[in-house]
Amino acid sequence: MKLWDYDAFILDLDGTLIDSGKYHAQAFSDAVLAHSGYSLKPDEHHEFFGKHSTWYAETLNERYGLSLDPAKVLEYKRGRVQEIFRAELFSGAREFLELWHRKKPMALATNSPFSFVKPALEEADVLKFFDCITTGSDVVNRKPDPEIIEVTAQKLRVDPLKTLVFEDQLIGIEAARAAGARVVAVDNNQPVNYPVDVAVHTWRELLKLSEMQ
């Protein structure tokens, strides 16, 4: 993969750049337990990754006959995330951003709300690397819809066809492809079966590829 061949990079946040998925999953589990008494199984924690809280609350209602109010679950979950979250960059991610800073336009495109994203980027001290940020608060349709990628490309004034998107979940890969962008799956040891035609690399591997070019 020749990274110089692309005009811009668009990165996902949760599970791609920062190790936040575990906090979101735990906060959702706490919300479900508080509102229904049901304790999520370990595999259901993994099932939450890449999903939206309201959708998953409704799914659990159907699966187990619970009476969760999705809006209340989401509110509780967001408050709980604020209590337990720590912004931890995956190994090699900072070095990758530092290497490409000012060499390529870089943007963030995430389903998470701006109220979570900005503090997370500030805590991780990476806000300075991004030319623009698009969050779930900025679009009508979240990933896997391509809107968030298309809007971000417009902000960067680049053609999605000449943009490389970094994602960790299938919904992000689907969104990038639907927008016409090339996508690389970032391998952060998550239980995801990536499409066979998608390149999969750790940040350390992507850093080595960058240094070779």
Side-chain angles (χ1 to χ4, degrees), residues 22-35:
K22 60 187 180 184
Y23 296 111
H24 286 285
Q26 184 60 55
F28 177 78
S29 179
D30 292 347
V32 171
L33 182 63
H35 284 84

Side-chain angles (χ1 to χ4, degrees), residues 104-170:
K104 292 279 186 183
M106 290 192 291
L108 197 77
T110 171
N111 274 349
S112 292
F114 185 76
S115 59
F116 169 78
V117 173
K118 188 171 184 289
L121 294 176
E122 290 176 337
E123 183 180 340
D125 192 28
V126 293
L127 182 61
K128 59 190 175 185
F129 295 121
F130 297 103
D131 296 280
C132 68
I133 297 169
T134 308
T135 72
S137 309
D138 301 317
V139 296
V140 175
N141 304 299
R142 296 153 49 92
K143 302 173 190 175
D145 189 276
E147 181 184 2
I148 198 166
I149 302 299
E150 294 168 345
V151 168
T152 305
Q154 290 172 4
K155 288 180 180 179
L156 291 175
R157 298 182 180 181
V158 297
D159 185 343
L161 295 174
K162 298 180 180 179
T163 302
L164 184 61
V165 177
F166 299 79
E167 285 281 357
D168 71 297
Q169 292 292 327
L170 296 179

Side-chain angles (χ1 to χ4, degrees), residues 139-210:
V139 296
V140 175
N141 304 299
R142 296 153 49 92
K143 302 173 190 175
D145 189 276
E147 181 184 2
I148 198 166
I149 302 299
E150 294 168 345
V151 168
T152 305
Q154 290 172 4
K155 288 180 180 179
L156 291 175
R157 298 182 180 181
V158 297
D159 185 343
L161 295 174
K162 298 180 180 179
T163 302
L164 184 61
V165 177
F166 299 79
E167 285 281 357
D168 71 297
Q169 292 292 327
L170 296 179
I171 61 168
I173 292 172
E174 183 178 340
R177 287 179 144 183
R182 178 78 180 275
V183 60
V184 57
V186 181
D187 180 10
N188 288 319
N189 293 318
Q190 299 190 54
V192 180
N193 292 320
Y194 295 113
V196 295
D197 58 339
V198 171
V200 182
H201 294 286
T202 65
W203 282 117
R204 287 294 176 189
E205 290 169 347
L206 288 167
L207 187 61
K208 289 182 179 179
L209 287 173
S210 302

